[in-house]
Amino acid sequence: MKENLVAIVGPTAVGKTELSIKLAQLFRGEVISGDSMQVYRGMDIGTAKVTKEEMDNIPHHLVDIKEPTESFSVAEFQEQAIPLISNINARGKTPFLVGGTGLYVNAVTHHFMFADSPSDPNYREELEQFVTEHGAKALHCKLEEIDPVTSRELHPNNYRRVIRALEVYKLTGKTLAEFRQEQKQQTPYNLVMIGLTMEREVLYDRINRRVDRMIEQGLLEEARSLYKSGVRNCQSVQAIGYKEVYEFLEGHVSLTEAIEMLKRNSRRYAKRQLTWFRNKADVTWFDMTNGLSQQKFQEMKDLIEGKLKEKAK
């Protein structure tokens, strides 16, 4: 019998966190974060990490499990999330996978098998040297030439994932997009995928206001503390919200310019997130432009209840 899994996906600032907690309260749920940056301790404001108060006694998993100096991969996320889903189901509760990192969510909902894709440590080292000499953007251009689909999904600063995509192509002659497509696309779960969307101008305004709040809440101080403690040239601080402030701390841009860069990069990221999830056929979409109405919430509730009853038969 398939295990239950509810996934709530969508772009940054669309309201996933608040909704997931409300639904988890109804369905005896526990939340598994599907965000690649909320795993890092001490990076709370810039990742819009859920607070203890916001959790409202709903258990949250895969948050604050890594030091900012450590790396974290989608394969490692998959290794940790899948047993968690089984554990939550075994305790008679409902796992809610919540996040906007599309590759991470897909790795769990459809068990994309990373172990099956070959690796070449020497080639990987060669590409890492290329990044050191020519920069992450130049590496991203290499990927864009051979695999435009994956290049649109990956930000140039996520150079480790870009390297992985190039490595797969070199060893198999297939793009990462093709490699994934060949794998079985059926989910192993009794899965409900709820997607949240919003009119672009409204979403962009929410993102801009969220960034302003982050600055008010102390993002600058948070990033400065990481910088002073030696957290530099790490995967964690390539995240949107930290790399822009680091540019300011290193004297490359003014604070005003850094904030504008952060808003622009967040908007672009939201656009990429929507593109990723829009291509997933099994997502049921809800427009949140006018907020979460009682009717919309009821529809989501009915959708989840219907799937859980389907399993119970």
Side-chain angles (χ1 to χ4, degrees):
M1 188 181 289
K2 288 184 176 182
E3 295 172 335
N4 291 325
L5 178 62
V6 179
I8 299 177
V9 300
T12 186
V14 79
K16 299 184 296 293
T17 298
E18 184 182 352
L19 173 66
S20 65
I21 290 165
K22 285 184 176 178
L23 287 171
Q25 286 169 336
L26 278 180
F27 292 97
R28 297 185 71 241
E30 297 188 11
V31 171
I32 299 169
S33 170
D35 186 293
S36 62
M37 289 297 150
Q38 292 190 357
V39 296
Y40 292 111
R41 290 188 273 273
M43 299 179 66
D44 303 336
I45 299 169
T47 63
K49 196 177 290 176
V50 62
T51 65
K52 289 289 182 189
E53 293 74 26
E54 288 169 337
M55 287 181 190
D56 206 6
N57 296 318
I58 297 295
H60 279 63
H61 304 275
L62 302 189
V63 176
D64 291 338
I65 60 169
K66 287 279 183 178
E67 293 300 328
T69 50
E70 295 180 284
S71 62
F72 191 65
S73 69
V74 62
E76 190 176 351
F77 172 77
Q78 185 190 55
E79 285 169 10
Q80 297 204 33
I82 289 172
L84 265 173
I85 291 167
S86 296
N87 179 273
I88 293 167
N89 271 281
R91 290 186 281 108
K93 296 193 172 186
T94 307
F96 283 77
L97 178 62
V98 182
T101 308
L103 192 58
Y104 279 47
V105 172
N106 192 53
V108 171
T109 58
H110 290 77
H111 282 203
F112 175 58
M113 300 303 292
F114 295 94
D116 289 351
S117 52
S119 62
D120 182 342
N122 292 332
Y123 182 60
R124 199 178 308 152
E125 192 175 321
E126 182 186 317
L127 292 178
E128 284 173 356
Q129 186 61 36
F130 181 89
V131 173
T132 303
E133 293 173 5
H134 304 284
K137 284 187 180 176
L139 184 78
H140 192 263
C141 287
K142 278 178 172 278
L143 181 63
E144 196 172 4
E145 288 173 15
I146 61 163
D147 188 356
V149 174
T150 303
S151 75
R152 283 195 298 270
E153 295 168 1
L154 299 180
H155 192 279
N157 284 329
N158 288 332
Y159 67 88
R160 285 186 177 83
R161 290 196 217 164
V162 174
I163 286 173
R164 185 68 183 125
L166 287 166
E167 186 182 16
V168 168
Y169 183 76
K170 177 181 182 285
L171 294 171
T172 67
K174 298 171 187 169
T175 67
L176 190 58
E178 290 169 339
F179 195 87
R180 288 202 305 257
Q181 192 62 37
E182 287 180 6
Q183 294 205 350
K184 191 177 179 183
Q185 289 300 299
Q186 290 296 315
T187 177
Y189 296 111
N190 188 43
L191 176 67
V192 181
M193 287 195 80
I194 291 173
L196 306 185
T197 186
M198 194 174 272
E199 285 178 14
R200 190 156 293 179
E201 290 309 309
V202 177
L203 179 63
Y204 286 178
D205 180 62
R206 282 173 65 97
I207 289 170
N208 291 339
R209 285 189 284 116
R210 174 188 265 190
V211 170
D212 289 336
R213 279 198 308 276
M214 285 177 173
I215 299 299
E216 289 167 13
Q217 290 166 353
L219 174 59
L220 185 57
E221 292 74 17
E222 183 176 78
R224 184 180 279 123
S225 174
L226 290 165
Y227 189 82
K228 284 183 174 177
S229 67
V231 182
R232 305 177 196 181
N233 303 316
C234 300
Q235 179 184 346
S236 62
V237 290
Q238 295 302 315
I240 296 170
Y242 297 93
K243 62 182 180 182
E244 296 84 0
V245 177
Y246 269 40
E247 287 283 297
F248 163 68
L249 294 174
E250 292 174 347
H252 302 308
V253 298
S254 69
L255 180 57
T256 302
E257 288 170 325
I259 293 169
E260 284 309 308
M261 283 166 54
L262 172 48
K263 289 179 178 178
R264 183 196 67 206
N265 291 341
S266 297
R267 294 192 300 265
R268 288 177 177 172
Y269 179 52
K271 187 177 178 182
R272 289 197 303 276
Q273 287 174 302
L274 277 169
T275 300
W276 170 280
F277 290 116
R278 283 272 181 223
N279 293 328
K280 307 302 171 191
D282 41 9
V283 180
T284 302
W285 288 97
F286 293 87
D287 192 313
M288 304 294 284
T289 303
N290 298 314
L292 180 63
S293 66
Q294 189 57 46
Q295 180 187 342
K296 226 171 281 182
F297 188 71
Q298 186 63 45
E299 287 173 16
M300 295 175 189
K301 181 172 172 283
D302 292 345
L303 183 67
I304 297 169
E305 276 180 349
K307 200 70 176 173
L308 299 185
K309 284 176 182 172
E310 193 178 294
K311 180 192 173 186
K313 284 179 183 176

